[in-house]
Amino acid sequence: MKYISNYIIILVMLTALSLKAQERPFTALDSVYLTDSKLKEFSTGRNLTVLSDTILRRNRPLLTNTLNFNTPIYFKENGLGMVSSPSFRGTTASQTAVLWNGININSQLNGQLDFNTVDAGAYSEIAVRGGGGSVVYGTGAIGGSVHLNMRLTYEDQLTHNLFLQYGSYNTQDARYNLNLGTKKWSLNLALTRNSSDNDFELPNGRNNLNGDFENTALNVGLGFKINSKNSIRIFSELFDGERHFSITRASETKTKYQDLNSKNLLEWEHSFGSFKGIARAAYLEEFYKYFANIDSEVYSFGKAKTFITKYDLSYKISDRLKLNSVLTNTTTSGFGSSFGDNDRSIFAAALLLKHQLANDFNYELGIRKEQTENYDSPFLFSFGATKALNDFFSLNINVSRNFRIPTYNDLYWETGGNLDLLPEKSLQGQLGAVFNFNSIQLNLTGYYNSITDMIRWLPGAGGIWSPSNVDEVEIYGLESALSWSKNFNKEHRISFNSTYAYTVSENKQTGNQLIYVPFHKATASVDYIYKKINAALQYLYVGEVFTRSDNNSRYNLDAYNVGNFSLGYSFGKKAQYELGARVNNFLNTEYQSVESRWMPGRNFNIYLNLKL
């Protein structure tokens, strides 16, 4: 088995492996509306991957698993379902922006999103964009961005989709989606529920202790076409979750963590002549409770209320030239047991230009500046271009300056917060090539990123930890991707998708690789359909990682290979039914992505998918 695994790794690397979804992922249909319009309009010169509905159902419901097996993003996961933080192109967890219907939802408290508090089944579309995006999306978009979108379809429709899954460790997954509408209005509703005892066996023979979790998410999108020039849309989401954090020894005190997050967005789109405007008002609320002793009612907490107003005005100068201005005001009120009661307000102005200079050449420009009393905001810019050299080969380039603002914890933590912090700054560039030949697409991207004023918490006088702008990081690497599909005799269809990332992320002062950033990561999947039978094989390889800043090899986490296999059968005529089963980690690999936090061995689940 070891030789087979090594052969697969070499094959994936040599073939320079993007998902099939990296082909042009958007189709211009008047009946379909995607609220994050900037994702398709201003991604020139960047890698963009859209995950299909099939991919979302194939993986565990939490977003970590979906992205880990299908994108170059590496995840540091404190056990299945526990705290999960990404490293996108060698950056830290707070340097990956997460957008909900175009609104930045990174936590105001710690600057990042825990990807195990997001149920992938609650969204119509999940997209991943590599490279800097702060000009469009603001703070945190340094390594890349993840986009969680709800799609509204204006057509006569009434569809129901119920997905039920049950597996090892009493793991339960239920997802219900409703699409209802006419040519004048559209309703999209998604309700998900996920829970698990999560008591899998550890390599030492004991079971995972205190690892159970449960969460419920409701996501609603509602749109109205008032007339040909005016439409209104409302999006709302509620997430309620509770996790008991796993412990490594039975003698440890059991803890738990509760999340209650809500998001609400109101949009009014209007057009007049060559102008189109979108006025947005969003209200976000995040609230957590941490119980240091699960048997006690005493807890620490943090809460942030954020109100965002945004006006997006575009002017179509010609069929080939478009100008776009965006004004945004963000006001946050945060309070908690460890950082008191503090408010901050940020105003941002951005100007974007998109130009098709020729049929085979597109470019875009963007600038952004923010104003706040809390820190000095840098001037941001971006430039991207794509040139098609012939029918099967094109080049793209992107250069940008990006940033991440200090968080509430950084600024206001009562035993070490630093009000004099500067934003982290990033200057980066990437050069890519795309090859298309028949049903094969190969995507290669090389990138460089220099980050300054990195915020790091260090012990100071009296042993009190405090953040300061001390680190500089140099990052460079290669992302490559391959997709292929073919039909045989109209009854057989096979497709192959894979990604590979080589990442060097070094502290400029020490020359050491950042902790929990692997040099190598690869994914691969093979899908086969024959009449009503479908089978899928997934593969994940993660190279060894350092867990100490001095890169002491004694504490490295070993490289690992994980494979999943699923088999399904579809039946029914008017309604569509699919019954299937999966084997997760069929190699029964013993692995961990965080020191002393083991992941499950071989486990199973069965599923039923109903489309009415």
Side-chain angles (χ1 to χ4, degrees):
M1 184 65 70
K2 176 180 178 181
Y3 295 106
I4 296 176
S5 300
N6 290 338
Y7 174 76
I8 295 174
I9 296 168
I10 295 171
L11 177 63
V12 171
M13 292 180 179
L14 289 179
T15 51
L17 305 175
S18 195
L19 293 172
K20 180 176 177 58
Q22 278 193 293
E23 299 176 26
R24 175 59 67 179
F26 297 97
T27 303
L29 298 176
D30 292 337
S31 63
V32 178
Y33 179 79
L34 188 68
T35 190
D36 190 1
S37 58
K38 294 294 178 292
L39 184 61
K40 68 172 181 177
E41 293 176 351
F42 292 97
S43 290
T44 307
R46 299 175 178 88
N47 296 346
L48 183 61
T49 300
V50 180
L51 304 183
S52 68
D53 294 339
T54 302
I55 290 177
L56 299 184
R57 288 193 302 270
R58 184 188 302 148
N59 295 272
R60 297 179 188 273
L62 297 182
L63 187 57
T64 296
N65 187 266
T66 301
L67 297 181
N68 203 19
F69 275 88
N70 297 284
T71 74
I73 304 175
Y74 168 75
F75 284 91
K76 184 179 70 172
E77 193 174 8
N78 287 22
L80 182 65
M82 302 296 103
V83 174
S84 173
S85 50
S87 175
F88 200 163
R89 290 190 175 181
T91 60
T92 65
S94 55
Q95 292 169 346
T96 296
V98 181
L99 289 302
W100 172 77
N101 292 313
I103 300 297
N104 193 315
I105 59 170
N106 282 40
S107 170
Q108 296 289 330
L109 305 180
N110 63 17
Q112 57 185 273
L113 183 77
D114 181 349
F115 280 68
N116 274 339
T117 63
V118 178
D119 195 318
Y123 305 98
S124 308
E125 178 182 271
I126 296 177
V128 175
R129 192 175 85 155
S134 289
V135 168
V136 178
Y137 296 114
T139 179
I142 294 178
S145 52
V146 177
H147 302 256
L148 313 173
N149 295 319
M150 177 159 280
R151 188 187 304 112
L152 294 177
T153 304
Y154 293 96
E155 60 184 21
D156 294 329
Q157 59 177 326
L158 172 58
T159 62
H160 305 270
N161 193 169
L162 179 63
F163 181 83
L164 301 173
Q165 188 169 224
Y166 182 81
S168 303
Y169 329 122
N170 192 30
T171 299
Q172 303 175 39
D173 174 21
R175 317 177 197 180
Y176 170 72
N177 294 88
L178 168 67
N179 290 280
L180 177 64
T182 67
K183 295 180 181 179
K184 290 292 185 180
W185 61 273
S186 178
L187 171 65
N188 190 327
L189 182 147
L191 177 63
T192 64
R193 169 72 176 177
N194 180 38
S195 66
S196 178
D197 292 346
N198 206 24
D199 54 353
F200 56 88
E201 185 177 351
L202 301 174
N204 57 20
R206 299 197 302 262
N207 283 2
N208 188 43
L209 302 175
N210 197 55
D212 54 307
F213 60 85
E214 60 181 12
N215 58 72
T216 304
L218 174 65
N219 210 329
V220 180
L222 181 61
F224 299 92
K225 284 189 174 181
I226 300 173
N227 53 46
S228 61
K229 295 185 178 182
N230 292 272
S231 61
I232 292 177
R233 294 174 290 271
I234 301 170
F235 299 92
S236 186
E237 178 183 326
L238 179 66
F239 178 90
D240 184 12
E242 177 174 301
R243 289 177 292 181
H244 295 184
F245 287 155
S246 298
I247 57 178
T248 57
R249 294 184 298 272
S251 59
E252 293 178 353
T253 302
K254 296 180 179 180
T255 63
K256 70 177 181 180
Y257 192 90
Q258 296 176 345
D259 292 278
L260 182 60
N261 303 321
S262 65
K263 310 176 187 69
N264 303 277
L265 173 63
L266 173 64
E267 293 186 342
W268 169 40
E269 180 178 340
H270 50 285
S271 59
F272 45 98
S274 297
F275 290 90
K276 183 172 77 171
I278 303 178
R280 296 180 173 93
Y283 176 71
L284 314 175
E285 187 171 301
E286 55 180 302
F287 179 45
Y288 76 84
K289 293 181 180 179
Y290 173 69
F291 296 79
N293 188 330
I294 201 171
D295 297 320
S296 172
E297 294 298 321
V298 178
Y299 60 84
S300 58
F301 74 95
K303 189 171 188 177
K305 300 178 180 180
T306 302
F307 184 67
I308 302 171
T309 54
K310 188 174 184 179
Y311 189 67
D312 188 322
L313 181 64
S314 63
Y315 175 58
K316 188 177 181 181
I317 301 173
S318 70
D319 290 339
R320 291 175 177 264
L321 183 60
K322 182 177 182 180
L323 193 63
N324 205 140
S325 64
V326 184
L327 302 177
T328 308
N329 191 76
T330 304
T331 302
T332 301
S333 176
F335 55 96
S337 51
S338 298
F339 49 81
D341 191 345
N342 295 278
D343 299 333
R344 72 177 177 189
S345 183
I346 304 171
F347 175 78
L351 184 64
L352 310 169
L353 181 145
K354 181 71 173 286
H355 188 198
Q356 184 179 4
L357 191 60
N359 292 335
D360 57 0
F361 182 69
N362 295 276
Y363 74 91
E364 67 179 51
L365 296 167
I367 56 174
R368 181 187 180 105
K369 188 71 171 70
E370 294 192 352
Q371 182 63 43
T372 181
E373 296 180 353
N374 300 94
Y375 51 84
D376 291 327
S377 178
F379 176 78
L380 307 178
F381 66 86
S382 67
F383 169 78
T386 299
K387 169 68 174 177
L389 300 180
N390 49 48
D391 291 339
F392 62 87
F393 177 58
S394 63
L395 291 173
N396 57 74
I397 187 173
N398 186 267
V399 179
S400 63
R401 192 184 193 204
N402 307 281
F403 81 137
R404 182 185 77 87
I405 67 174
T407 67
Y408 263 70
N409 289 356
D410 294 330
L411 295 170
Y412 307 120
W413 198 262
E414 61 185 19
T415 56
N418 183 355
L419 295 175
D420 297 322
L421 287 173
L422 300 172
E424 298 175 342
K425 304 173 189 66
S426 160
L427 183 62
Q428 58 184 280
Q430 67 177 53
L431 178 65
V434 180
F435 303 85
N436 286 286
F437 182 73
N438 292 333
S439 58
I440 300 174
Q441 184 183 74
L442 175 63
N443 193 311
L444 301 171
T445 302
Y447 61 87
Y448 176 84
N449 190 359
S450 177
I451 304 176
T452 58
D453 293 323
M454 282 272 287
I455 298 173
R456 185 180 180 189
W457 284 72
L458 298 170
I464 297 176
W465 289 71
S466 180
S468 55
N469 299 101
V470 295
D471 281 349
E472 295 185 8
V473 177
E474 183 177 53
I475 304 172
Y476 57 91
L478 171 71
E479 287 179 351
S480 54
L482 180 69
S483 65
W484 170 81
S485 63
K486 188 173 180 60
N487 294 324
F488 299 91
N489 301 325
K490 297 183 180 181
E491 293 184 339
H492 303 264
R493 177 177 175 82
I494 187 169
S495 60
F496 173 77
N497 298 291
S498 186
T499 68
Y500 168 68
Y502 171 71
T503 309
V504 176
S505 183
E506 295 179 342
N507 183 310
K508 283 187 177 180
Q509 294 178 328
T510 65
N512 292 333
Q513 179 88 341
L514 295 190
I515 62 173
Y516 291 107
V517 176
F519 287 105
H520 305 283
K521 182 192 173 184
T523 70
S525 65
V526 178
D527 294 85
Y528 173 71
I529 299 175
Y530 172 67
K531 293 183 178 180
K532 296 184 178 182
I533 299 174
N534 67 84
L537 178 66
Q538 285 183 312
Y539 172 77
L540 168 68
Y541 169 78
V542 176
E544 66 175 353
V545 298
F546 297 109
T547 63
R548 302 293 190 273
S549 59
D550 63 357
N551 287 185
N552 189 331
S553 60
R554 178 182 177 185
Y555 302 100
N556 288 3
L557 295 184
D558 293 334
Y560 56 84
N561 305 276
V562 181
N564 302 327
F565 176 76
S566 65
L567 182 66
Y569 179 78
S570 300
F571 53 96
K573 294 182 178 179
K574 292 184 178 180
Q576 296 181 9
Y577 308 89
E578 182 184 350
L579 182 65
R582 294 193 181 91
V583 184
N584 302 306
N585 191 8
F586 61 79
L587 298 173
N588 202 29
T589 302
E590 295 181 353
Y591 72 104
Q592 50 188 334
S593 60
V594 173
E595 191 175 10
S596 301
R597 299 292 179 178
W598 294 97
M599 299 294 288
R602 185 183 298 113
N603 61 95
F604 308 87
N605 58 39
I606 57 174
Y607 67 88
L608 176 65
N609 188 35
L610 308 177
K611 291 183 179 181
L612 306 175

